[in-house]
Amino acid sequence: MATYKPVVVQAFPKLGEKITQDTLYWRGYKTPVQIKEFGAVNKIDFSPVSPYNYAVTASSRIHIYGRYSQEPIKTFSRFKDAAYCATYRDDGNLLVAGSEEGSIRLFDLSGRAPLRQFDGPTKAVHVVGFLSDKYRIFSGGDDYSSSLWDIPSGTEIISYNEHTDYVRCGCASKVNADVFITGSYDHTVKLFDARMKSSVMTIEHGQPVESVLLFPSGGLLVSAGGRYVKVWDVLKGGQLLVSLKNHHKTVTCLCLNSSGQRLLSGSLDRHVKVYSTTSYKVVHSFNYATSILSLALSPEDETIVVGMTNGVLNVKHRKPEERKENSQKKRQPAYRTYVKGRTYMPKQEDFCVSKPVKHVLRKYDKLLKSFQSSKALDAVLEPPIRLYTPEVTVAVMQELHRRGTLRSALAGRDEKQINLLLTFVARRVIEPRFTPVLVTVADMITDIYQPVVGQSAIVDRQFLRLQEAIGKEIDYQEELLEVLGMMDTLFATFTKKTATYLEEKKSNGLTETVETNTN
């Protein structure tokens, strides 16, 4: 009896993931730590000075977390309603926050009671921040106004009422102490100069603006709203440089890394995209469990913190660099020890004893060896094989067809098994590598179970899905043939086109003109 030969599964090349320096860098974080807050996290801000604590604004509280702590080391909770946009000053000593009741509060990190409370806005204040001179605060809120406040006197310096909808984001220039920017739901971004009585620049984003970011140089501005992230050149009067549309839902937050060479954007589609600030292409992407509202990176990118709509704070710390140990390792046997005798060629008088190699057959091979066609087909329709290695399922179907037992293996199945078969065929029949085999399988299933059509709604639905999939594929093929015909016509035109030139020949003092065709 001949030895059984296992089913040959055709190998198809797989497109491997491209590993870049950015991929290695942004994957260098530990498993995230999950911290549950009291409400949706609307703002995360890192202290600019060591030890780089970060403030988390959620619900009616502001929690200060240490770099590696999972419990808040300080809490500011003297808000009657929701708190918004807690932001550090550049020296890390003061913290300012807006609130739902319309007041702005200034806190000293060494105490708990607010140092100053600025009253004036009639509605919720969603955005606050310090100007780079450290003595003035800008704000924006639901009363459509953008205001400037003096810290020592606790009074309002100037108020701008140019926006026509809620002001929900803003930032200050690090280069000019009089310049700050606000973004609004009226689709505009406005640049204000404290020395002027009105805005000095208005940029039309085209969507409700959720976040704005100014590069450290002060020359480039990034705005996020809708599905778009747009980069503007401020020095050229707000010229649009690039518009990025890599998210599927609204972009809610922006962030720069410590070097300013990577831009991060978080979105309600649960993704954080990392862009290169030179090519503005996505170089990496993070996936989270829920929609993202806020995002922050610590100095030197040691920690990335993401706040989500369900109140969960996701904290990732960078893995420490592996240090090379100087301890001497136990000396391993030399390479020649392992290969000793491998190249020995037996002589004529030697007696060779061969050790039989035992081949372990897979479950479907064992069933095929014992001619159990139906059970072999059932074995390769199990979820691990059907979903992750469909080429194995198709290879067994092809082997059964070669043996002439495919029809008998497909016959005699109940509603659940027919549904499983049709689901697999309808999903994979459009793949070119499986089409020849699965078209044959689909024909046999149709012939065998045609008499029972109409008796089961589930089976009927799967037949309709199969018909729809094949119909779409035929339409695609027809369109491709049309395009191919157009291309053939164009190529034929190019090859038939002749070039003519005049060649002059002088003979006996006369000029002779000759026309020559070249293919």
Side-chain angles (χ1 to χ4, degrees):
M1 183 177 176
T3 307
Y4 173 78
K5 294 181 180 179
V7 174
V8 178
V9 179
Q10 187 177 356
F12 296 94
K14 292 183 179 179
L15 184 62
E17 183 182 1
K18 187 177 181 181
I19 303 297
T20 62
Q21 290 297 323
D22 278 288
T23 305
L24 298 174
Y25 181 80
W26 294 105
R27 280 184 177 177
Y29 287 96
K30 298 178 183 177
T31 304
V33 176
Q34 306 278 355
I35 302 173
K36 179 63 177 174
E37 286 289 339
F38 290 94
V41 181
N42 63 73
K43 176 71 174 179
I44 303 167
D45 191 51
F46 272 93
S47 172
V49 296
S50 183
Y52 307 120
N53 298 335
Y54 57 94
V56 177
T57 311
S59 185
S60 59
R61 303 185 184 191
I62 301 170
H63 286 156
I64 308 297
Y65 288 91
R67 196 167 176 180
Y68 296 102
S69 66
Q70 296 185 27
E71 295 292 334
I73 58 177
K74 196 174 189 64
T75 300
F76 298 104
S77 58
R78 299 192 178 185
F79 293 92
K80 295 179 182 178
D81 210 330
Y84 298 112
C85 197
T87 307
Y88 280 99
R89 196 167 73 171
D90 287 344
D91 57 8
N93 293 326
L94 297 181
L95 190 75
V96 65
S99 64
E100 183 67 30
E101 61 250 31
S103 62
I104 302 166
R105 299 183 186 185
L106 183 69
F107 297 94
D108 186 346
L109 291 178
S110 60
R112 289 188 179 275
L115 290 178
R116 291 279 189 277
Q117 180 166 324
F118 305 91
D119 296 313
T122 57
K123 294 185 179 180
V125 178
H126 279 265
V127 53
V128 288
F130 292 93
L131 295 187
S132 56
D133 63 2
K134 302 179 184 177
Y135 299 110
R136 287 177 292 178
I137 294 171
F138 71 90
S139 68
D142 289 355
D143 59 358
Y144 309 166
S145 66
S146 304
S147 304
L148 207 59
W149 308 83
D150 182 58
I151 295 177
S153 63
T155 58
E156 184 181 66
I157 301 172
I158 190 172
S159 180
Y160 303 94
N161 294 290
E162 298 189 19
H163 285 294
T164 58
D165 207 334
Y166 299 151
V167 180
R168 287 298 171 91
C169 56
C171 62
S173 171
K174 296 185 182 297
V175 179
N176 191 324
D178 294 306
V179 174
F180 68 96
I181 294 167
T182 58
S184 168
Y185 280 3
D186 62 5
H187 300 192
T188 63
V189 177
K190 291 186 181 289
L191 188 145
F192 296 96
D193 190 322
R195 298 163 293 187
M196 308 295 288
K197 293 184 178 180
S198 61
S199 62
V200 295
M201 186 184 298
T202 300
I203 295 172
E204 183 68 34
H205 179 81
Q207 301 282 339
V209 183
E210 298 283 352
S211 181
V212 290
L213 178 69
L214 199 60
F215 273 65
S217 64
L220 295 179
L221 170 69
V222 186
S223 62
R227 295 168 58 191
Y228 296 91
V229 175
K230 296 184 179 181
V231 184
W232 312 85
D233 191 335
V234 178
L235 302 179
K236 290 186 178 180
Q239 178 183 343
L240 178 63
L241 296 181
V242 63
S243 178
L244 308 171
K245 191 181 178 182
N246 297 99
H247 288 282
H248 302 297
K249 292 184 180 179
T250 300
V251 182
T252 54
C253 48
L254 296 170
C255 176
L256 275 176
N257 76 331
S258 55
S259 66
Q261 296 180 352
R262 295 293 181 267
L263 172 68
L264 285 77
S265 65
S267 167
L268 295 179
D269 64 3
R270 305 182 296 107
H271 287 86
V272 171
K273 304 284 185 182
V274 184
Y275 307 89
S276 167
T277 53
T278 53
S279 63
Y280 293 105
K281 293 182 178 179
V282 177
V283 295
H284 193 68
S285 179
F286 294 99
N287 189 15
Y288 289 88
T290 324
S291 299
I292 296 167
L293 284 183
S294 51
L295 165 71
L297 262 177
S298 69
E300 299 182 0
D301 308 337
E302 289 294 327
T303 308
I304 179 170
V305 185
V306 170
M308 292 175 273
T309 53
N310 61 352
V312 172
L313 201 64
N314 187 292
V315 185
K316 291 181 180 179
H317 299 289
R318 184 165 291 282
K319 297 175 183 176
E321 294 183 0
E322 296 180 359
R323 297 178 181 178
K324 295 182 179 179
E325 298 180 358
N326 296 324
S327 58
Q328 294 183 354
K329 294 183 179 180
K330 185 179 179 181
R331 186 178 177 183
Q332 299 292 331
Y335 176 70
R336 62 176 178 270
T337 306
Y338 295 105
V339 298
K340 185 177 181 180
R342 293 285 181 89
T343 57
Y344 177 77
M345 297 297 293
K347 297 178 182 179
Q348 188 175 2
E349 61 272 12
D350 290 341
F351 179 75
C352 298
V353 179
S354 60
K355 185 179 179 180
V357 180
K358 185 178 181 180
H359 296 284
V360 179
L361 296 178
R362 297 184 179 273
K363 182 179 179 181
Y364 56 84
D365 275 319
K366 292 178 180 178
L367 294 168
L368 286 173
K369 185 178 179 181
S370 58
F371 303 102
Q372 300 181 54
S373 305
S374 184
K375 290 184 178 180
L377 186 58
D378 291 337
V380 293
L381 286 173
E382 294 292 329
I385 299 177
R386 184 183 77 246
L387 298 176
Y388 302 109
T389 54
E391 60 272 11
V392 175
T393 305
V394 176
V396 170
M397 289 178 175
Q398 189 174 12
E399 173 65 18
L400 292 173
H401 182 56
R402 187 189 67 81
R403 295 184 177 191
T405 57
L406 180 59
R407 179 177 288 271
S408 61
L410 294 171
R413 295 181 175 269
D414 57 20
E415 181 185 58
K416 185 178 179 180
Q417 292 174 328
I418 299 171
N419 181 37
L420 192 65
L421 267 171
L422 287 173
T423 303
F424 177 80
V425 174
R427 183 180 178 185
R428 300 291 182 179
V429 71
I430 59 175
E431 296 186 30
R433 53 180 180 165
F434 301 145
T435 300
V437 178
L438 293 185
V439 165
T440 304
V441 174
D443 287 339
M444 288 188 180
I445 294 175
T446 307
D447 291 341
I448 295 170
Y449 296 103
Q450 186 176 4
V452 298
V453 171
Q455 298 180 12
S456 170
I458 297 175
V459 174
D460 292 348
R461 195 182 306 119
Q462 292 301 331
F463 272 117
L464 290 174
R465 281 187 58 195
L466 177 61
Q467 182 185 11
E468 183 182 358
I470 294 175
K472 285 183 179 180
E473 185 64 21
I474 291 172
D475 292 339
Y476 292 150
Q477 296 292 340
E478 289 177 353
E479 291 177 8
L480 288 173
L481 288 173
E482 290 177 5
V483 174
L484 187 60
M486 295 176 190
M487 294 175 67
D488 287 341
T489 304
L490 290 173
F491 292 149
T493 305
F494 293 151
T495 54
K496 289 181 180 179
K497 187 176 180 180
T498 58
T500 63
Y501 65 90
L502 298 179
E503 179 182 353
E504 294 184 353
K505 287 187 178 181
K506 293 182 179 180
S507 60
N508 299 325
L510 299 175
T511 301
E512 181 183 2
T513 301
V514 180
E515 182 175 286
T516 309
N517 293 336
T518 60
N519 292 328

